[in-house]
Amino acid sequence: MQTMDFKFIFLLFSLSFSISSSAISHANFMPRFPSSNIVRPEQLSLSTTNELYRTKYFTQILDHFNYNPPSYKTFQQRYLINDTFWGGAGKNSPIFVYTGNEGDIEWFTQNTGFMFDTAPHFKALLVFIEHRFYGKSIPFGGDKDIAYSNATTLGYLSSTQALADYAPLIIDLKKNISATDSPVVVFGGSYGGMLAAWFRLKYPHVAIGALASSAPILNFENITSPYSFNSIITQDFRSKSENCYKVIKGSWQHIEDTANKPGGLEVLRKSFKICKNYISVSSLESWLHTAYVYTAMTDYPTPSNFLNPLPAYPVKQMCKAIDDEVGANDTLAKLYGAANIYYNSSGSATCFDLEDDSDPHGLGEWTWQACTEMIMPTSGNNKESIFPASEWDYNGRASFCKNLFDIEPRPNWITTEFGGHDIERLLKRFASNIIFFNGLRDPWSGGGVLKNISNTIISIVAEEGAHHVDLRFSSREDPKWLQDVRRREMEIIGKWISQYYHDLAHS
């Protein structure tokens, strides 16, 4: 998939369209929600057996939206289930469903501790559904070579098809376990959070409510500024250290100046411990850019292992490495120290391979979604940005997608299908029972719902919060604000369930 000399940096969740010239071109960088083809020496492992869940499969229809004979083809859709704390169908105990993101569902399940933490309180059954075309939920007989081969097969990969997958799976599951009267609440983070919110809007008869964490449902079609994403990243670093901000901001020119000197690329290779197989200015800058973006996204208050193993408050730790007075005049050493926080927390890496395009969590097909309907402008950089100034370039994206898939993006489809413009007036008219959580240190928060829309469509905003931090497993080290966020979410969900039981008793 590396046509036109484009190199992919996939992210989670969320990908990045990256660099095609010797100068860094952030206009083409499209950060993904989770993380994938990023260079890293340490990778999370997915256990084949796990006490957190049992693996099941559902026979799913390929195409929910037409009646041509090919649409009746089926595939096996994976879902994970945990009934450890379920109160049972006899008590109409609730069912909590995670609307799977663009990747292996085991990875998301292992990083969605909030559902496990709250299951005992609500006596809830937990279900995590894998998104079609990801993980092991691959149409066309599970053959990725066929499923991913061209636009004809990839055309069945869309958010609307995914939502339509979740509805019959949930309905069938409830029927099979004799739990037709058990209330369903859907949960999701990032793209999964968008799906959770949209599922509540599209299938209110299936789910009584949704927790949509870090769900940038407004990051489309002139609703959110294309400068928002990188402006938040810039503020994340600048709020920790003005010097840190200035060093990163000035580093791009410094790197290019160094590369243009005789032997400059070798100086860069040694300074950043890049493996000997490959180095270029653009790949090095992409590597650094990725580290800054994803560290800002996962600037959690406790150690994490979601994208990469990271310490608590990793942005602060990056800036600490840059501000360290040891080697005060060595900019490259400072930048290497910062990158090491993201790529080498264990200190065991001997070199970094800039050509590593591994995809351990199976996120690569987000490229298709980012070329069709998920046109989310994020690449604008103003003069204050820590990244070089750039404009959002839709034409560049469209040209890239045309060359890669021979398709034209539909930048207006998401807002046509789900809404987005004048969201307050829109949702106030007909929607209910959605929690939108956003942490303001998360660059995706600029495209989130940041104020209450009604008494039942609630926005919870955490000034110090990062990307779906509320969905992580709880820790005794969690700050009070995070504990308060989770407590409030539980209270709201509890009210939904109580109201459901009241209505059921009086129906």
Side-chain angles (χ1 to χ4, degrees):
M1 286 191 176
Q2 296 185 5
T3 59
M4 296 176 59
D5 198 30
F6 278 85
K7 180 180 176 63
F8 292 113
I9 304 176
F10 297 105
L11 133 89
L12 126 277
F13 346 155
S14 143
L15 315 344
S16 340
F17 292 110
S18 75
I19 316 303
S20 60
S21 66
S22 59
I24 188 167
S25 175
H26 294 293
N28 286 328
F29 183 91
M30 207 299 269
R32 183 192 172 97
F33 296 118
S35 176
S36 175
N37 296 0
I38 51 180
V39 182
R40 57 175 177 267
E42 300 161 301
Q43 297 178 355
L44 304 181
S45 61
L46 291 175
S47 59
T48 54
T49 59
N50 195 304
E51 294 180 359
L52 289 177
Y53 46 77
R54 301 191 315 276
T55 301
K56 292 182 176 292
Y57 287 88
F58 176 73
T59 300
Q60 189 61 263
I61 295 173
L62 178 63
D63 186 355
H64 298 281
F65 301 112
N66 77 67
Y67 297 94
N68 294 329
S71 73
Y72 288 89
K73 291 181 179 179
T74 61
F75 68 96
Q76 295 302 299
Q77 183 167 25
R78 181 170 59 158
Y79 65 98
L80 311 178
I81 191 166
N82 181 303
D83 60 2
T84 303
F85 301 104
W86 193 37
K91 296 181 179 179
N92 296 327
S93 294
I95 301 173
F96 290 174
V97 176
Y98 186 90
T99 50
N101 303 44
E102 68 289 27
D104 191 303
I105 192 60
E106 290 194 73
W107 178 44
F108 292 112
T109 302
Q110 294 170 15
N111 285 280
T112 309
F114 180 71
M115 291 175 64
F116 291 95
D117 290 340
T118 57
H121 174 79
F122 290 107
K123 295 180 170 51
L125 175 68
L126 302 183
V127 181
F128 299 81
I129 309 177
E130 190 161 65
H131 195 297
R132 59 167 53 203
F133 281 83
Y134 294 100
K136 294 184 178 179
S137 300
I138 309 298
F140 303 101
D143 189 331
K144 292 184 179 181
D145 290 336
I146 297 175
Y148 298 168
S149 60
N150 55 52
T152 300
T153 52
L154 283 169
Y156 297 103
L157 170 55
S158 70
S159 58
T160 49
Q161 293 280 10
L163 293 173
D165 287 341
Y166 299 153
L169 193 158
I170 293 169
I171 292 170
D172 187 77
L173 173 65
K174 291 178 68 176
K175 180 181 178 181
N176 288 341
I177 60 176
S178 302
T180 54
D181 286 333
S182 289
V184 172
V185 179
V186 291
F187 296 72
S190 202
Y191 171 53
M194 299 165 78
L195 293 173
W198 293 336
F199 190 85
R200 170 61 184 162
L201 297 179
K202 290 290 184 179
Y203 300 93
H205 56 293
V206 180
I208 67 166
L211 170 54
S213 179
S214 299
I217 64 169
L218 305 181
N219 217 131
F220 297 94
E221 197 192 351
N222 300 320
I223 301 173
T224 300
S225 167
Y227 297 98
S228 171
F229 189 90
N230 291 319
S231 292
I232 294 172
I233 294 172
T234 297
Q235 180 57 28
D236 286 349
F237 282 89
R238 197 169 193 175
S239 67
K240 296 302 178 185
S241 164
E242 183 71 15
N243 176 67
C244 176
Y245 157 74
K246 289 180 177 178
V247 169
I248 296 174
K249 181 175 174 59
S251 66
W252 313 108
Q253 189 62 53
H254 182 77
I255 289 171
E256 292 184 12
D257 289 345
T258 301
N260 288 332
K261 295 176 181 178
L265 281 178
E266 183 64 13
V267 170
L268 293 173
R269 189 187 67 76
K270 290 181 177 179
S271 296
F272 290 98
K273 295 187 178 180
I274 304 303
C275 300
K276 292 183 178 181
N277 60 323
Y278 175 78
I279 187 172
S280 69
V281 173
S282 62
S283 62
L284 177 61
E285 289 178 327
S286 296
W287 184 74
L288 290 169
H289 189 285
T290 298
Y292 302 142
V293 170
Y294 301 152
T295 298
M297 281 178 57
T298 56
D299 192 30
Y300 297 138
T302 54
S304 65
N305 199 23
F306 178 44
L307 303 185
N308 272 5
L310 288 173
Y313 301 106
V315 169
K316 180 180 179 180
Q317 295 304 316
M318 272 193 170
C319 284
K320 182 179 179 181
I322 287 175
D323 291 342
D324 193 336
E325 292 186 1
V326 177
N329 296 320
D330 190 342
T331 298
L332 298 181
K334 291 176 177 293
L335 298 173
Y336 170 72
N340 233 22
I341 300 297
Y342 183 75
Y343 289 115
N344 189 26
S345 64
S346 69
S348 62
T350 57
C351 72
F352 301 97
D353 183 1
L354 299 186
E355 285 195 309
D356 180 9
D357 62 354
S358 58
D359 186 9
H361 304 301
L363 310 170
E365 297 321 298
W366 180 258
T367 311
W368 168 264
Q369 294 189 258
C371 274
T372 50
E373 57 181 3
M374 304 300 290
I375 312 300
M376 307 174 73
T378 58
S379 54
N381 288 283
N382 60 30
K383 64 180 182 179
E384 294 296 312
S385 176
I386 61 172
F387 306 121
S390 65
E391 302 291 332
W392 156 244
D393 181 14
Y394 171 76
N395 290 332
R397 171 74 66 82
S399 176
F400 170 84
C401 297
K402 180 69 173 177
N403 279 277
L404 187 59
F405 297 114
D406 195 26
I407 56 170
E408 298 287 340
R410 296 181 183 176
N412 304 329
W413 175 244
I414 289 294
T415 54
T416 300
E417 176 71 6
F418 302 113
H421 294 281
D422 198 4
I423 194 72
E424 183 175 358
R425 180 173 59 86
L426 173 70
L427 295 187
K428 190 178 291 184
R429 286 208 310 263
F430 75 94
S432 65
N433 291 8
I434 302 175
I435 302 169
F436 290 102
F437 169 80
N438 283 281
L440 296 186
R441 295 188 68 80
D442 175 16
W444 290 107
S445 65
V449 176
L450 299 179
K451 63 179 181 179
N452 292 346
I453 291 177
S454 70
N455 290 335
T456 61
I457 303 180
I458 306 298
S459 170
I460 299 177
V461 176
E463 185 175 347
E464 294 300 312
H467 201 51
H468 52 66
V469 62
D470 57 323
L471 294 185
R472 299 180 66 219
F473 279 99
S474 61
S475 165
R476 283 179 290 184
E477 270 76 63
D478 286 337
K480 183 178 183 300
W481 65 261
L482 182 52
Q483 297 175 33
D484 291 343
V485 164
R486 292 178 175 136
R487 188 177 301 112
R488 188 177 179 204
E489 290 173 344
M490 288 180 66
E491 289 173 356
I492 295 170
I493 292 170
K495 289 179 180 178
W496 297 343
I497 295 172
S498 295
Q499 184 63 51
Y500 172 84
Y501 289 148
H502 177 271
D503 295 343
L504 184 65
H506 293 83
S507 61

PDB file of all heavy atoms in Angstrom, residues 250-269:
ATOM      1  N   GLY A 250      11.229  24.548  17.159  1.00  0.00           N
ATOM      2  CA  GLY A 250      12.387  24.878  16.335  1.00  0.00           C
ATOM      3  C   GLY A 250      13.150  23.672  15.814  1.00  0.00           C
ATOM      4  O   GLY A 250      14.078  23.821  15.014  1.00  0.00           O
ATOM      5  N   SER A 251      12.746  22.483  16.230  1.00  0.00           N
ATOM      6  CA  SER A 251      13.545  21.293  15.920  1.00  0.00           C
ATOM      7  C   SER A 251      13.445  20.871  14.459  1.00  0.00           C
ATOM      8  O   SER A 251      14.394  20.291  13.914  1.00  0.00           O
ATOM      9  CB  SER A 251      13.113  20.124  16.811  1.00  0.00           C
ATOM     10  OG  SER A 251      11.781  19.708  16.511  1.00  0.00           O
ATOM     11  N   TRP A 252      12.323  21.139  13.818  1.00  0.00           N
ATOM     12  CA  TRP A 252      12.134  20.657  12.451  1.00  0.00           C
ATOM     13  C   TRP A 252      13.148  21.293  11.504  1.00  0.00           C
ATOM     14  O   TRP A 252      13.751  20.608  10.666  1.00  0.00           O
ATOM     15  CB  TRP A 252      10.701  20.931  11.995  1.00  0.00           C
ATOM     16  CG  TRP A 252       9.700  20.523  13.031  1.00  0.00           C
ATOM     17  CD1 TRP A 252       8.949  21.351  13.818  1.00  0.00           C
ATOM     18  CD2 TRP A 252       9.376  19.190  13.440  1.00  0.00           C
ATOM     19  NE1 TRP A 252       8.173  20.620  14.681  1.00  0.00           N
ATOM     20  CE2 TRP A 252       8.405  19.294  14.474  1.00  0.00           C
ATOM     21  CE3 TRP A 252       9.789  17.924  13.026  1.00  0.00           C
ATOM     22  CZ2 TRP A 252       7.857  18.173  15.096  1.00  0.00           C
ATOM     23  CZ3 TRP A 252       9.249  16.809  13.645  1.00  0.00           C
ATOM     24  CH2 TRP A 252       8.301  16.937  14.669  1.00  0.00           C
ATOM     25  N   GLN A 253      13.336  22.585  11.659  1.00  0.00           N
ATOM     26  CA  GLN A 253      14.327  23.271  10.822  1.00  0.00           C
ATOM     27  C   GLN A 253      15.732  22.822  11.190  1.00  0.00           C
ATOM     28  O   GLN A 253      16.592  22.650  10.318  1.00  0.00           O
ATOM     29  CB  GLN A 253      14.205  24.785  10.979  1.00  0.00           C
ATOM     30  CG  GLN A 253      15.042  25.580   9.986  1.00  0.00           C
ATOM     31  CD  GLN A 253      14.627  25.311   8.549  1.00  0.00           C
ATOM     32  OE1 GLN A 253      13.448  25.437   8.197  1.00  0.00           O
ATOM     33  NE2 GLN A 253      15.588  24.931   7.703  1.00  0.00           N
ATOM     34  N   HIS A 254      15.960  22.615  12.490  1.00  0.00           N
ATOM     35  CA  HIS A 254      17.284  22.169  12.941  1.00  0.00           C
ATOM     36  C   HIS A 254      17.618  20.800  12.347  1.00  0.00           C
ATOM     37  O   HIS A 254      18.755  20.565  11.906  1.00  0.00           O
ATOM     38  CB  HIS A 254      17.309  22.099  14.469  1.00  0.00           C
ATOM     39  CG  HIS A 254      18.637  21.691  15.042  1.00  0.00           C
ATOM     40  ND1 HIS A 254      19.712  22.552  15.123  1.00  0.00           N
ATOM     41  CD2 HIS A 254      19.072  20.500  15.542  1.00  0.00           C
ATOM     42  CE1 HIS A 254      20.745  21.908  15.649  1.00  0.00           C
ATOM     43  NE2 HIS A 254      20.383  20.665  15.914  1.00  0.00           N
ATOM     44  N   ILE A 255      16.646  19.909  12.322  1.00  0.00           N
ATOM     45  CA  ILE A 255      16.869  18.576  11.744  1.00  0.00           C
ATOM     46  C   ILE A 255      17.179  18.683  10.256  1.00  0.00           C
ATOM     47  O   ILE A 255      18.106  18.026   9.744  1.00  0.00           O
ATOM     48  CB  ILE A 255      15.636  17.682  11.987  1.00  0.00           C
ATOM     49  CG1 ILE A 255      15.550  17.301  13.477  1.00  0.00           C
ATOM     50  CG2 ILE A 255      15.679  16.421  11.122  1.00  0.00           C
ATOM     51  CD1 ILE A 255      14.265  16.607  13.861  1.00  0.00           C
ATOM     52  N   GLU A 256      16.434  19.503   9.547  1.00  0.00           N
ATOM     53  CA  GLU A 256      16.665  19.621   8.110  1.00  0.00           C
ATOM     54  C   GLU A 256      18.005  20.308   7.815  1.00  0.00           C
ATOM     55  O   GLU A 256      18.701  19.932   6.868  1.00  0.00           O
ATOM     56  CB  GLU A 256      15.499  20.372   7.464  1.00  0.00           C
ATOM     57  CG  GLU A 256      14.225  19.543   7.512  1.00  0.00           C
ATOM     58  CD  GLU A 256      13.060  20.196   6.804  1.00  0.00           C
ATOM     59  OE1 GLU A 256      13.279  21.181   6.078  1.00  0.00           O
ATOM     60  OE2 GLU A 256      11.927  19.710   6.976  1.00  0.00           O
ATOM     61  N   ASP A 257      18.358  21.300   8.634  1.00  0.00           N
ATOM     62  CA  ASP A 257      19.665  21.949   8.456  1.00  0.00           C
ATOM     63  C   ASP A 257      20.794  20.949   8.680  1.00  0.00           C
ATOM     64  O   ASP A 257      21.797  20.945   7.952  1.00  0.00           O
ATOM     65  CB  ASP A 257      19.806  23.124   9.423  1.00  0.00           C
ATOM     66  CG  ASP A 257      18.915  24.300   9.051  1.00  0.00           C
ATOM     67  OD1 ASP A 257      18.407  24.326   7.915  1.00  0.00           O
ATOM     68  OD2 ASP A 257      18.711  25.179   9.912  1.00  0.00           O
ATOM     69  N   THR A 258      20.626  20.113   9.697  1.00  0.00           N
ATOM     70  CA  THR A 258      21.645  19.095   9.978  1.00  0.00           C
ATOM     71  C   THR A 258      21.745  18.113   8.819  1.00  0.00           C
ATOM     72  O   THR A 258      22.848  17.750   8.383  1.00  0.00           O
ATOM     73  CB  THR A 258      21.296  18.334  11.274  1.00  0.00           C
ATOM     74  OG1 THR A 258      21.224  19.246  12.363  1.00  0.00           O
ATOM     75  CG2 THR A 258      22.343  17.268  11.569  1.00  0.00           C
ATOM     76  N   ALA A 259      20.600  17.683   8.295  1.00  0.00           N
ATOM     77  CA  ALA A 259      20.599  16.708   7.196  1.00  0.00           C
ATOM     78  C   ALA A 259      21.260  17.255   5.944  1.00  0.00           C
ATOM     79  O   ALA A 259      21.850  16.487   5.162  1.00  0.00           O
ATOM     80  CB  ALA A 259      19.165  16.288   6.885  1.00  0.00           C
ATOM     81  N   ASN A 260      21.183  18.558   5.731  1.00  0.00           N
ATOM     82  CA  ASN A 260      21.732  19.166   4.514  1.00  0.00           C
ATOM     83  C   ASN A 260      23.250  19.368   4.564  1.00  0.00           C
ATOM     84  O   ASN A 260      23.862  19.713   3.547  1.00  0.00           O
ATOM     85  CB  ASN A 260      21.049  20.511   4.244  1.00  0.00           C
ATOM     86  CG  ASN A 260      19.612  20.331   3.775  1.00  0.00           C
ATOM     87  OD1 ASN A 260      19.276  19.316   3.166  1.00  0.00           O
ATOM     88  ND2 ASN A 260      18.763  21.306   4.074  1.00  0.00           N
ATOM     89  N   LYS A 261      23.838  19.128   5.719  1.00  0.00           N
ATOM     90  CA  LYS A 261      25.288  19.240   5.841  1.00  0.00           C
ATOM     91  C   LYS A 261      25.945  17.936   5.399  1.00  0.00           C
ATOM     92  O   LYS A 261      25.311  16.873   5.421  1.00  0.00           O
ATOM     93  CB  LYS A 261      25.680  19.548   7.290  1.00  0.00           C
ATOM     94  CG  LYS A 261      25.191  20.900   7.801  1.00  0.00           C
ATOM     95  CD  LYS A 261      25.542  21.070   9.271  1.00  0.00           C
ATOM     96  CE  LYS A 261      25.028  22.403   9.802  1.00  0.00           C
ATOM     97  NZ  LYS A 261      25.329  22.566  11.263  1.00  0.00           N
ATOM     98  N   PRO A 262      27.181  17.969   4.961  1.00  0.00           N
ATOM     99  CA  PRO A 262      27.894  16.727   4.613  1.00  0.00           C
ATOM    100  C   PRO A 262      27.882  15.752   5.792  1.00  0.00           C
ATOM    101  O   PRO A 262      28.250  16.125   6.918  1.00  0.00           O
ATOM    102  CB  PRO A 262      29.313  17.205   4.295  1.00  0.00           C
ATOM    103  CG  PRO A 262      29.137  18.625   3.859  1.00  0.00           C
ATOM    104  CD  PRO A 262      28.023  19.176   4.705  1.00  0.00           C
ATOM    105  N   GLY A 263      27.454  14.546   5.548  1.00  0.00           N
ATOM    106  CA  GLY A 263      27.380  13.553   6.619  1.00  0.00           C
ATOM    107  C   GLY A 263      26.247  13.787   7.594  1.00  0.00           C
ATOM    108  O   GLY A 263      26.192  13.129   8.641  1.00  0.00           O
ATOM    109  N   GLY A 264      25.342  14.686   7.253  1.00  0.00           N
ATOM    110  CA  GLY A 264      24.287  15.058   8.190  1.00  0.00           C
ATOM    111  C   GLY A 264      23.339  13.930   8.539  1.00  0.00           C
ATOM    112  O   GLY A 264      22.938  13.785   9.703  1.00  0.00           O
ATOM    113  N   LEU A 265      22.972  13.131   7.558  1.00  0.00           N
ATOM    114  CA  LEU A 265      22.059  12.031   7.846  1.00  0.00           C
ATOM    115  C   LEU A 265      22.672  11.014   8.811  1.00  0.00           C
ATOM    116  O   LEU A 265      21.985  10.442   9.660  1.00  0.00           O
ATOM    117  CB  LEU A 265      21.643  11.325   6.554  1.00  0.00           C
ATOM    118  CG  LEU A 265      20.558  12.003   5.717  1.00  0.00           C
ATOM    119  CD1 LEU A 265      20.299  11.209   4.437  1.00  0.00           C
ATOM    120  CD2 LEU A 265      19.259  12.146   6.507  1.00  0.00           C
ATOM    121  N   GLU A 266      23.973  10.823   8.694  1.00  0.00           N
ATOM    122  CA  GLU A 266      24.643   9.916   9.616  1.00  0.00           C
ATOM    123  C   GLU A 266      24.655  10.488  11.027  1.00  0.00           C
ATOM    124  O   GLU A 266      24.504   9.752  12.019  1.00  0.00           O
ATOM    125  CB  GLU A 266      26.069   9.625   9.140  1.00  0.00           C
ATOM    126  CG  GLU A 266      26.837   8.618   9.998  1.00  0.00           C
ATOM    127  CD  GLU A 266      26.224   7.228   9.998  1.00  0.00           C
ATOM    128  OE1 GLU A 266      25.347   6.949   9.148  1.00  0.00           O
ATOM    129  OE2 GLU A 266      26.612   6.419  10.868  1.00  0.00           O
ATOM    130  N   VAL A 267      24.813  11.802  11.138  1.00  0.00           N
ATOM    131  CA  VAL A 267      24.735  12.458  12.450  1.00  0.00           C
ATOM    132  C   VAL A 267      23.357  12.224  13.064  1.00  0.00           C
ATOM    133  O   VAL A 267      23.225  11.884  14.248  1.00  0.00           O
ATOM    134  CB  VAL A 267      25.023  13.964  12.326  1.00  0.00           C
ATOM    135  CG1 VAL A 267      24.703  14.680  13.646  1.00  0.00           C
ATOM    136  CG2 VAL A 267      26.465  14.208  11.936  1.00  0.00           C
ATOM    137  N   LEU A 268      22.320  12.378  12.251  1.00  0.00           N
ATOM    138  CA  LEU A 268      20.961  12.162  12.744  1.00  0.00           C
ATOM    139  C   LEU A 268      20.744  10.706  13.127  1.00  0.00           C
ATOM    140  O   LEU A 268      20.116  10.406  14.148  1.00  0.00           O
ATOM    141  CB  LEU A 268      19.951  12.591  11.685  1.00  0.00           C
ATOM    142  CG  LEU A 268      19.889  14.091  11.367  1.00  0.00           C
ATOM    143  CD1 LEU A 268      18.960  14.341  10.189  1.00  0.00           C
ATOM    144  CD2 LEU A 268      19.432  14.889  12.586  1.00  0.00           C
ATOM    145  N   ARG A 269      21.241   9.813  12.305  1.00  0.00           N
ATOM    146  CA  ARG A 269      21.063   8.392  12.594  1.00  0.00           C
ATOM    147  C   ARG A 269      21.668   8.030  13.940  1.00  0.00           C
ATOM    148  O   ARG A 269      21.054   7.341  14.767  1.00  0.00           O
ATOM    149  CB  ARG A 269      21.682   7.531  11.494  1.00  0.00           C
ATOM    150  CG  ARG A 269      21.341   6.045  11.639  1.00  0.00           C
ATOM    151  CD  ARG A 269      22.090   5.191  10.641  1.00  0.00           C
ATOM    152  NE  ARG A 269      23.518   5.181  10.918  1.00  0.00           N
ATOM    153  CZ  ARG A 269      24.086   4.483  11.890  1.00  0.00           C
ATOM    154  NH1 ARG A 269      23.344   3.742  12.702  1.00  0.00           N
ATOM    155  NH2 ARG A 269      25.390   4.521  12.084  1.00  0.00           N
TER     156      ARG A 269
END
